[in-house]
Amino acid sequence: MIQILVIGSEGQLGQEIQNRCASVKDSQFTFTSLETLDVTDSTKLTDTIRKQPYKYIINCTAYTAVDKAESETELAQAINADALKIIGQASASIKAKVLHVSTDYVFNGTNYKPYTEDDDTCPASVYGKTKLDGEQNLIQYNPDSIVLRTSWLYSTYGNNFVKTMIRLGQERDELNVIFDQIGTPTYAGDLADTILHIIRCDLEESIAFQPGIYHYSNEGVASWYDFTLAIHQQLGITCEISPIESKDYPTPAPRPHYSVLNKTKIKDIYQLNIPYWKDSLNKCLNQLNA
Ligand SMILES: NC(=O)c1ccc[n+]([C@@H]2O[C@H](COP(=O)([O-])OP(=O)(O)OC[C@H]3O[C@@H](n4cnc5c(N)ncnc54)[C@H](OP(=O)(O)O)[C@@H]3O)[C@@H](O)[C@H]2O)c1
């Protein structure tokens, strides 16, 4: 049996991975959550990783409260960056391969075309900076790691933009939504499929595990305004939505104005057909309704 450890398995991505773990044949998954393994406890983190001969470790933990991170810098640093040094060291000591998730917020959003993995990083927020430190720590301490940078993640689990917009749309007659931030919504179920696809390819020896940084989001481009319109249209919510500029909705952490990711590398290497964001949104909304 192939041993696979999933850390932070109660978050949006972690739960989508739990739902799909049967797709990796002859494998045994171990799932940890904040309750069973706090990644800021470096001794316990090291012991947990070294307890089994894990072949793969999937890290789904993160400090994801982007605005709160501006004032809780130390905690964000501990979870998003320092823990990755420990995961890197411990995984390398048992020769495990790591799949880790990072963010479009490692860029400052001043680009005019989709960001490639080779573009210079320049995070504008504490969250983005700590996530970038985490990527670098992991790759330094375990070069046999894959970092998947993604954007605008949502799922049927946890709190996310989709659920907030459904709730607000049902409560209110009018909503103001930002239209000058452009990115791509990503269904966590599709990201989970991709992570498990990479593992299956390696196990079946069809495509070797190729360490490094990859960009992954759904296909297409949207503003938060477009995203909200699509959510409401698909659910028949009739609330009036007005586009506003970022300057009219100030937040403690600055947001990138443009954070579309170029996915050519992952599509070419892992032969992926990535779903269009509206199709994946539909899939997620159908599951929420069910
Ligand atoms: N959400 C987005 O829009 C977005 C966008 C781009 C990239 N990403 C990245 O995608 C990945 C998955 O994000 P997600 O949306 O699935 O995040 P999420 O739903 O917030 O899940 C993160 C998980 O980590 C857990 N966690 C927090 N602190 C921990 C600690 N000290 N020890 C152990 N576990 C801890 C959380 O537990 P609790 O829930 O109990 O606190 C939660 O279960 C992350 O790396 C994130 O940075 C997310």
Side-chain angles (χ1 to χ4, degrees):
M1 281 294 213
I2 299 294
Q3 299 287 334
I4 302 175
L5 174 64
V6 184
I7 308 173
S9 61
E10 291 298 320
Q12 297 194 79
L13 176 62
Q15 296 198 58
E16 297 288 358
I17 286 178
Q18 288 196 48
N19 288 346
R20 291 161 172 78
C21 63
S23 72
V24 185
K25 293 200 178 77
D26 302 322
S27 60
Q28 185 168 29
F29 280 73
T30 302
F31 297 101
T32 69
S33 65
L34 174 57
E35 265 181 33
T36 57
L37 173 64
D38 182 337
V39 297
T40 63
D41 181 342
S42 45
T43 307
K44 193 165 176 190
L45 180 55
T46 303
D47 290 348
T48 304
I49 291 172
R50 296 177 76 154
K51 204 149 78 188
Q52 297 279 346
Y54 293 113
K55 190 167 169 70
Y56 304 98
I57 296 171
I58 306 171
N59 181 36
C60 302
T61 63
Y63 182 106
T64 51
V66 175
D67 287 323
K68 225 168 141 196
E70 297 294 312
S71 50
E72 273 193 341
T73 309
E74 281 181 18
L75 185 59
Q77 178 74 20
I79 296 166
N80 290 346
D82 302 345
L84 271 300
K85 176 180 170 186
I86 308 298
I87 292 173
Q89 286 171 332
S91 59
S93 75
I94 59 162
K95 295 192 166 43
K97 298 171 181 174
V98 179
L99 295 107
H100 171 63
V101 181
S102 189
T103 170
D104 52 337
Y105 283 35
V106 299
F107 300 111
N108 65 6
T110 55
N111 239 21
Y112 55 90
K113 59 182 174 54
Y115 282 98
T116 71
E117 293 80 357
D118 295 329
D119 279 323
D120 289 340
T121 51
C122 183
S125 61
V126 168
Y127 170 71
K129 187 179 176 317
T130 58
K131 291 293 291 184
L132 179 61
D133 286 350
E135 292 181 1
Q136 292 168 348
N137 280 343
L138 178 64
I139 291 168
Q140 179 184 346
Y141 288 97
N142 186 351
D144 219 3
S145 296
I146 282 181
V147 173
L148 292 153
R149 289 186 187 139
T150 192
S151 62
W152 300 23
L153 207 61
Y154 66 91
S155 90
T156 54
Y157 301 103
N159 294 317
N160 54 56
F161 186 82
V162 172
K163 288 190 180 175
T164 303
M165 287 302 133
I166 293 173
R167 180 175 50 78
L168 292 177
Q170 287 165 341
E171 284 171 6
R172 299 187 191 174
D173 296 329
E174 292 174 16
L175 263 184
N176 294 331
V177 185
I178 288 168
F179 79 102
D180 60 353
Q181 290 172 23
I182 309 295
T184 312
T186 305
Y187 176 39
D190 293 336
L191 178 59
D193 280 336
T194 300
I195 289 172
L196 297 176
H197 169 75
I198 292 172
I199 292 177
R200 280 194 306 270
C201 286
D202 191 40
L203 287 173
E204 292 161 5
E205 296 178 359
S206 53
I207 305 168
F209 188 91
Q210 296 189 38
I213 295 175
Y214 294 84
H215 287 176
Y216 181 90
S217 69
N218 279 131
E219 288 288 13
V221 172
S223 68
W224 294 110
Y225 170 80
D226 298 321
F227 192 14
T228 308
L229 273 185
I231 297 164
H232 286 190
Q233 274 168 3
Q234 287 189 22
L235 293 176
I237 296 173
T238 53
C239 167
E240 193 180 323
I241 306 167
S242 305
I244 57 163
E245 294 181 43
S246 306
K247 70 173 172 51
D248 298 323
Y249 188 77
T251 50
R255 303 297 200 271
H257 277 280
Y258 182 89
S259 65
V260 180
L261 300 173
N262 180 317
K263 301 169 288 289
T264 306
K265 181 179 172 188
I266 196 161
K267 286 196 284 190
D268 284 355
I269 293 181
Y270 283 103
Q271 293 168 24
L272 288 181
N273 241 334
I274 300 179
Y276 178 55
W277 71 267
K278 276 192 183 174
D279 295 334
S280 289
L281 173 64
N282 214 355
K283 215 164 33 180
C284 177
L285 293 177
N286 285 339
Q287 280 184 16
L288 269 177
N289 273 340

